[in-house]
């Protein structure tokens, strides 16, 4: 397949294909945190995240959530629908951790009485500031109908993934999603992986996600491998 580099992000690289409606995504091992201030590598992260994201997209697809994955092509590559990404990141939280715990003075691990949905303006220079639906409408980042769909899909994703992960002794603490438009429809894009979610072992409370890298806890690769193993049985 002919590949023309289009854009290189922190964890993935995008290539144009001969089909203008499709992109090739290449998953890298590079790990970044704190808006790119901390940089490192998690060995084989690209392979593991490509497989984990494929698993999650397929699970969500079966439940009726439209997503961009067309096919996993190789260990590090997937073929996806080319979306016009909405400049809004969506975070769903079940248990207080990370920036929510810090901002609101909650102990990490505090169960939220209600699922929390947050929006962030996707802008690296501004450090992705939190916004609400008024800002989104006022800045024309998305239409109210699009945000309605985004919210509906994000909450449904939370239900599906939380239930599935619980069976595998993983607690879904929080996660980030990105959506885009494809032929006018709102579609789930980007990735769902230990880079973009917090997973805690249900029994031990051990962190099984990028917090191992962010907080220098070590064994990042082992944690990502264990997530793939619990989801798919693949070693
Ligand atoms: O840092 P914070 O606690 O706000 O992150 C909430 C969730 O969103 C975490 O699961 C984190 O991995 C994810 N996230 C992300 N990309 C960002 C910010 C947060 O994947 N730019």
């Amino acid at each position: 397949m002919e590949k023309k580099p289009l854009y290189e992000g922190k964890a993935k690289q995008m290539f144009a294909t001969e089909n203008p409606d499709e992109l090739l995504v290449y998953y890298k091992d590079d790990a970044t945190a704190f808006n790119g201030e901390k940089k490192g590598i998690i060995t084989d992260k690209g392979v593991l995240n490509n497989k984990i994201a494929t698993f999650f997209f397929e699970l969500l697809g079966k439940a009726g959530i439209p997503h961009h994955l067309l096919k996993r092509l190789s260990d590090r590559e997937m073929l996806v629908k080319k979306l016009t990404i909405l400049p809004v990141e969506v975070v769903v939280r079940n248990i207080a951790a990370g920036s929510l715990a810090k901002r609101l003075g909650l102990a990490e691990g505090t169960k939220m009485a209600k699922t929390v949905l947050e929006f962030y303006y996707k802008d690296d220079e501004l450090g992705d500031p939190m916004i609400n639906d008024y800002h989104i409408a006022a800045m024309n980042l998305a239409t109210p109908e699009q945000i309605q769909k985004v919210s509906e899909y994000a909450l449904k994703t939370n239900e599906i993934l939380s239930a599935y992960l619980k069976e595998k002794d993983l607690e879904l603490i929080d996660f980030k999603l990105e959506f885009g438009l494809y032929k006018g429809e709102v579609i789930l894009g980007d990735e769902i992986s230990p880079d973009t979610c917090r997973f805690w072992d249900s029994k031990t409370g051990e962190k099984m996600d990028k917090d191992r890298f962010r907080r220098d806890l070590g064994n990042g690769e082992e944690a990502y491998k264990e997530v793939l193993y619990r989801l798919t049985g693949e070693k």
Side-chain angles (χ1 to χ4, degrees), residues 78-117:
M78 60 168 60
L79 189 67
V80 300
K81 291 176 178 171
K82 183 177 181 181
L83 309 184
T84 306
I85 289 286
L86 297 172
V88 176
E89 296 190 349
V90 186
V91 170
V92 181
R93 304 179 184 268
N94 299 305
I95 292 179
S99 72
L100 178 79
K102 199 168 171 190
R103 196 160 41 81
L104 299 184
L106 298 169
E108 278 215 321
T110 307
K111 185 163 171 33
M112 306 309 287
K114 190 177 189 291
T115 303
V116 174
L117 188 68

Side-chain angles (χ1 to χ4, degrees), residues 46-47 53 66 71 80 83-84 97 123 143 151 158 164 168 175 179 189 191 225 228:
V47 177
K71 193 177 190 296
V80 300
L83 309 184
T84 306
D123 186 311
T143 67
S151 306
N158 186 42
Y164 192 88
K168 308 289 176 184
F175 59 96
F179 291 86
E191 69 177 286
K225 269 192 184 153
L228 178 66

Side-chain angles (χ1 to χ4, degrees), residues 119-134:
F119 301 115
Y120 292 85
Y121 179 34
K122 201 170 145 61
D123 186 311
D124 279 344
E125 273 186 28
L126 297 174
D128 298 342
M130 190 192 282
I131 50 175
N132 63 28
D133 37 3
Y134 285 86

Side-chain angles (χ1 to χ4, degrees), residues 36-62:
E37 272 171 45
K38 177 170 177 166
K39 290 193 176 74
I41 294 258
I42 300 175
T43 310
D44 286 340
K45 175 169 82 72
V47 177
L48 296 161
N49 278 358
N50 188 25
K51 291 181 178 177
I52 293 168
T54 297
F55 177 84
F56 282 138
F57 281 133
E58 287 177 349
L59 184 71
L60 293 171
K62 284 183 209 140

